Amino acid sequence: MPPTPGLRLVYQLVQPDPDTTPPDALSYPQTFALVVQPSRDASANLAVHTVDGTQPQFDTYLLMDQDETTWFPRSAAPAGFFAFPWPRFLPHDGTSFSLNHSGFEGTVEPSGEGEWMLTNRAETTGSQVVLAVIAAEPSDLETLAPVSFQLTTDATQLTWQLQAAAVYRERTVSGVVVSPLGRPQKGVTVALHPAVGALPAEHRTVTGTFGTFELSYRAAPGDGIRLYYGVAQGKGADAVIPDPAVISGRVGSPDFATLIFPAP
């Protein structure tokens, strides 16, 4: 994915023909947001969730790494056809090339003026993504991003088109961790992902005597996020929350004001 902190892309399902579309095909989200957050060591955190109360609810999260040419998922994750490796750069001469990484077998080839088609050859579903340079609000920042997702099954073809792109400023998510009896809990790690060693310092914290925490997140009020909290194990980049509690909510809401966690 483009290394743009806090890039939020919103996609809308192009309504298929109800007479020819199997009902199970409409179990996919009608509208979803793809949010890229900065991480450590030139990595990105990729979150995907439904927006505007659309059904069905969809919420997933994965860590992305990069090499000289590609952004790619750090490990297998339940993100479906969102979990592609992405080229960081595209050739100016319009040539096609293969993209092979972590078991993914695909091609990237020109698909119109200023657009490229990324096709997953390893999937029988025939997932495809169109990439293009877009301008994200509010500063018209130009960045490479998916402008459409296409999923082809044996029965139908579904397409999601990019509706909005924006870069949001850093905001604060804060609250307190307490026991079921309301006592502040000291030493509980709160983070945006259970692999806390992979996150920068502002995206993970450990509660103090009064159980309070504060995290930074590039988002807008109303964006859906998840917090993971529990007792971390390991040191440095290997630190993880092995059995985290999870809470979902919206930035700018009171959803995270109080996190209930059993005493360690």
Side-chain angles (χ1 to χ4, degrees):
M1 288 300 298
T4 304
L7 180 64
R8 184 175 188 265
L9 307 170
V10 179
Y11 298 86
Q12 176 70 47
L13 177 66
V14 177
Q15 291 298 327
D17 185 347
D19 295 332
T20 60
T21 302
D24 60 347
L26 298 180
S27 63
Y28 291 93
Q30 305 293 298
T31 306
F32 69 87
L34 187 151
V35 182
V36 183
Q37 296 290 323
S39 186
R40 199 172 72 176
D41 299 329
S43 301
N45 306 320
L46 182 66
V48 186
H49 57 81
T50 51
V51 297
D52 301 328
T54 56
Q55 296 291 330
Q57 293 298 312
F58 183 84
D59 188 19
T60 191
Y61 197 101
L62 66 157
L63 295 178
M64 305 286 280
D65 279 332
Q66 74 173 33
D67 56 21
E68 292 80 2
T69 60
T70 311
W71 286 90
F72 55 92
R74 178 172 298 180
S75 60
F81 67 103
F82 307 105
F84 276 170
W86 305 96
R88 294 178 56 206
F89 312 101
L90 293 173
H92 294 290
D93 59 2
T95 57
S96 303
F97 60 93
S98 298
L99 188 63
N100 300 308
H101 209 295
S102 303
F104 175 89
E105 297 179 5
T107 57
V108 181
E109 52 193 357
S111 177
E113 185 66 28
E115 295 186 345
W116 298 77
M117 178 74 77
L118 171 60
T119 303
N120 187 355
R121 300 297 185 189
E123 281 192 351
T124 58
T125 54
S127 301
Q128 292 182 323
V129 175
V130 175
L131 301 167
V133 175
I134 64 169
E137 298 177 351
S139 59
D140 292 332
L141 173 69
E142 288 195 348
T143 183
L144 176 67
V147 294
S148 73
F149 288 87
Q150 185 180 98
L151 181 65
T152 302
T153 67
D154 293 336
T156 189
Q157 176 177 293
L158 301 175
T159 302
W160 290 263
Q161 295 284 355
L162 179 66
Q163 298 295 306
V167 177
Y168 290 104
R169 70 178 186 269
E170 200 82 12
R171 298 176 186 273
T172 299
V173 180
S174 61
V176 61
V177 179
V178 300
S179 72
L181 297 178
R183 297 174 180 172
Q185 296 297 289
K186 178 182 178 180
V188 175
T189 297
V190 183
L192 301 179
H193 193 274
V196 294
L199 299 174
E202 64 269 21
H203 289 175
R204 52 188 166 88
T205 188
V206 179
T207 59
T209 303
F210 300 103
T212 58
F213 68 89
E214 186 172 284
L215 298 171
S216 297
Y217 199 90
R218 285 187 178 270
D223 274 0
I225 65 172
R226 287 188 293 181
L227 295 185
Y228 299 80
Y229 56 104
V231 178
Q233 297 180 2
K235 296 182 179 180
D238 296 326
V240 298
I241 306 174
D243 187 21
V246 183
I247 183 171
S248 298
R250 301 287 173 181
V251 174
S253 76
D255 293 339
F256 306 108
T258 304
L259 309 186
I260 300 175
F261 187 71

